[in-house]
Amino acid sequence: MSLTAALLAPACRAKPSSTGLRVIVIGAGLAGLAAAQRLQEQGHLVTVLEGRDRLGGRTWTSQAWPDLPLDLGAGWIHGLDGNPITALARRSGARLATTSLDNSLVYGPNGQPLDESQQAQLDVLSDRLVAMVATAAEQAGNDLSLQDLVARSFPDHSLTKGQGDQLAYLINSLYEQEHGASAGRLSARWLDADQAYGGSDALLVPGYSAVVQALAQGLTIQTGQRVTQVHWDGATAQGGVKVVCGARAGESSPVHQADRVVITVPLGVLKAGSLQFEPPLPAAKQDAISRIGMGTLNKCCLRFARPFWPASVDWFGQIAAKAGEWGEWVSLSGPLRQPVLIGFQAGQNAETLEAWSDQRLVASAMASLRRLYGPGIPDPTGVQVSRWRSDPFCLGSYSFNAAGSTPSLRDALAQPLAQRLFFAGEATNTSAFGTTHGAYLSGLRAAAQLQSTGSIAA
Ligand SMILES: Cc1cc2nc3c(=O)[nH]c(=O)nc-3n(C[C@H](O)[C@H](O)[C@H](O)COP(=O)(O)OP(=O)(O)OC[C@H]3O[C@@H](n4cnc5c(N)ncnc54)[C@H](O)[C@@H]3O)c2cc1C
């Protein structure tokens, strides 16, 4: 049985018993909810502490448009075949709507769709770039960034201005958008180190909250509990763990005791050090926290009265004058029958634009869309924008393999400590980081590690 299959096998159900441990799970995203469900099934007394006033973490279905639940975090199930999120979504009754990257249209710098020969040129360049990355993945030796790899393989003088623009577009569309990081920060060696499921990509019609609600059923979850300290060196009489939360105005800090703790806070939170460990985390874990990258991907969702773009196309690319700015759009007209365009920003660009007001963002997005569809297109009737880097409960969108890092750092991040602390979350998943299924499976893995420690350690 593969590791994934083993993790997904139903846990043997047990009633809470005298050997059941008191377990605290920190974080009610998919990793935390998966771990909590599995541990509760195994008979442990589980409490989930969540800092926000909502569940789901980096899956966040906004209900601001009552007739259109909108995912401002994760939107897609990437690869329906064998993906555990597909099974969860189906069990929750959520309808799925597929999209296809093949159903796309790319616009040139002149604002016109690429003609056949321009598209053929782009395809040739794309194949060259992808082959170059594949070769870099096979080469041992010192890592370099994707930007350095490209500079080495495509010296400036070897490209025309048009080819340079196309290359910048491809780097953004194929890699920066996927990993949420600029080419200068991405590892060339480990760029494609994640594994993908087969089958179509699909959106959940009611949003990811359907999966979150299903996973949260029957769990004891306390929201508004921002954990600030974890004392893990035998801090209780039974040698357990003490978890301290931030105090609300006029109240003292809530303190929780447990035999085991599962930590699922995002890598961005661990990097910031706002969650303190006593004693401090060992050097190997601190090294992993500092060297794995935390990227940013943001969505700017614009709702219109009706589509003014080709409504049957899912994805729009734009070879823009300023690479990466409004380079990638998805349309919800096809999959959800809604006249909504979502513009994506990734990496440094996303971080810079987080400081912009909604008004300035929309003006910039509309200027870009008017280049493609003419000055007469209407302003949006509604706008929703994400700012994941500024969000104190994640401080970024998802992790990426940074130049100079190695996948083994993720194993170090996942390593349990003293049979008391267990770690889950997308960043701890070596083969499926940055995804909902990676987060979910990491929660099941941490639950299995905890279960294997047996009863209370002295
Ligand atoms: C814009 C965007 C688009 C994405 N698109 C996709 C996609 O299409 N498909 C896909 O598969 N994945 C996508 N992802 C990635 C996916 O959302 C994440 O990998 C996954 O949801 C992470 O789950 P997690 O449980 O590891 O972390 P989280 O969901 O972040 O859960 C951690 C929880 O810990 C809580 N927390 C943090 N600090 C504290 C504290 N001190 N005390 C208590 N609680 C705390 C947080 O509030 C959060 O609820 C996207 C992410 C973003 C941001």
Side-chain angles (χ1 to χ4, degrees), residues 223-243:
T223 54
Q225 296 281 323
R226 188 175 66 84
V227 176
T228 54
Q229 293 168 29
V230 174
H231 298 258
W232 57 282
D233 197 12
T236 68
Q238 298 82 14
V241 187
K242 185 169 88 176
V243 172

Side-chain angles (χ1 to χ4, degrees), residues 130-220:
V130 169
M132 204 177 76
V133 167
T135 306
E138 283 161 11
Q139 278 166 358
N142 285 346
D143 192 11
L144 72 173
S145 71
L146 174 62
Q147 183 170 291
D148 288 344
L149 177 72
V150 169
R152 198 179 277 187
S153 316
F154 295 94
D156 273 350
H157 60 264
S158 71
L159 297 174
T160 63
K161 163 88 174 73
Q163 287 170 325
D165 285 347
Q166 287 187 349
L167 187 60
Y169 162 75
L170 287 169
I171 291 168
N172 181 257
S173 158
L174 295 177
Y175 299 113
E176 295 182 325
Q177 296 271 342
E178 184 185 344
H179 296 286
S182 303
R185 298 191 61 207
L186 284 167
S187 159
R189 171 95 171 80
W190 302 109
L191 195 52
D192 281 336
D194 47 337
Q195 288 160 14
Y197 291 108
S200 305
D201 290 343
L203 297 165
L204 293 91
V205 176
Y208 252 97
S209 61
V211 167
V212 171
Q213 280 163 19
L215 264 181
Q217 287 248 327
L219 292 175
T220 303

Side-chain angles (χ1 to χ4, degrees), residues 26-32 49-52 54-59 72-78 208 225-228 264-266 269 274-275 297-299 344 386 388 392-394 396-398 424-427 433-437 439-440 442:
I26 305 176
L30 292 187
L49 300 179
E50 167 54 50
R52 302 178 194 267
R54 63 168 180 83
L55 312 184
R58 284 170 278 168
T59 65
L72 294 180
W76 280 265
I77 300 173
H78 284 304
Y208 252 97
Q225 296 281 323
R226 188 175 66 84
V227 176
T228 54
T264 76
V265 303
V269 171
S274 51
L275 172 53
L297 181 80
N298 276 323
K299 295 182 176 179
F344 293 88
S386 71
W388 291 101
F393 290 107
C394 52
S397 299
Y398 41 76
E426 58 81 16
F433 51 90
T435 64
T436 52
H437 55 271
Y440 175 79
S442 76

Side-chain angles (χ1 to χ4, degrees), residues 242-264:
K242 185 169 88 176
V243 172
V244 183
C245 295
R248 292 182 179 233
E251 292 173 13
S252 56
S253 302
V255 175
H256 305 262
Q257 309 281 354
D259 303 310
R260 308 275 190 272
V261 172
V262 182
I263 292 147
T264 76

